[in-house]
Amino acid sequence: PKVTVADPQANVAELLPLHSAAEAEGVRLLVFPELCLCGYTCADLFYSDTILSSAREALTDFLKSTEGTIIVSIICLPLVVNDKIYNCAVFCQNGQVLGVVPKTYIPTYGEFSESRYFAPAPDGVEYITLCGRSVPFGAKIIFAAEEM
């Protein structure tokens, strides 16, 4: 998808037709790019409540638009959990969040400075509330997607 930096609504509008096309092709697992809802290069904007809340709203819009679909989609965005910002992959199916996997290995070399913005995945799995649902959050989640 064409990702517009710092514009989650434009990005979700870009993702939805790709999801529909994938569904028409019989795709069952659809993985979108890292930080696709806000753009990888937001830099200090990752600290902005506006970007963080807009990305969550765009995720909610994606979920509403994909209700009734069997595809498991992985949508990526920054999320604040326990006062830390995580670079997360959100697993979704049938308009629901199945779980959230934060990035474990945060690069700090060359042009990468992710550790400036993001915390690495915590040990273990906990439950967070996301889009009105209690879901697992952690790097060691085992998913079992529902059949429709």
Side-chain angles (χ1 to χ4, degrees):
K2 177 185 172 192
V3 175
T4 303
V5 175
D7 193 345
Q9 289 304 318
N11 294 328
V12 78
E14 180 79 14
L15 300 181
L16 288 170
L18 296 173
H19 184 278
S20 295
E23 182 179 27
E25 292 291 325
V27 170
R28 292 296 179 252
L29 176 64
L30 181 59
V31 181
F32 289 105
E34 184 175 8
L35 295 168
C36 63
L37 285 183
C38 61
Y40 186 84
T41 58
C42 280
D44 285 351
L45 290 176
F46 287 123
Y47 296 125
S48 164
D49 288 338
T50 301
I51 288 292
L52 296 169
S53 63
S54 294
R56 285 175 79 123
E57 290 170 16
L59 175 63
T60 298
D61 293 345
F62 181 86
L63 294 172
K64 287 178 183 174
S65 296
T66 59
E67 286 181 23
T69 62
I70 193 169
I71 296 175
V72 174
S73 299
I74 302 175
I75 305 295
C76 303
L77 68 153
L79 288 174
V80 176
V81 176
N82 298 327
D83 297 322
K84 294 179 183 175
I85 304 172
Y86 294 94
N87 179 347
C88 295
V90 178
F91 288 66
C92 311
Q93 185 183 38
N94 188 22
Q96 298 291 319
V97 173
L98 303 175
V100 180
V101 178
K103 189 172 182 177
T104 301
Y105 301 105
I106 307 296
T108 59
Y109 53 85
E111 69 274 10
F112 300 104
S113 59
E114 283 190 44
S115 63
R116 176 176 171 159
Y117 314 108
F118 301 116
D123 292 334
V125 175
E126 61 183 279
Y127 279 78
I128 63 169
T129 300
L130 182 61
C131 300
R133 186 172 178 186
S134 178
V135 298
F137 173 86
K140 296 179 181 179
I141 302 171
I142 297 175
F143 292 94
E146 66 180 68
E147 288 294 324
M148 295 177 61

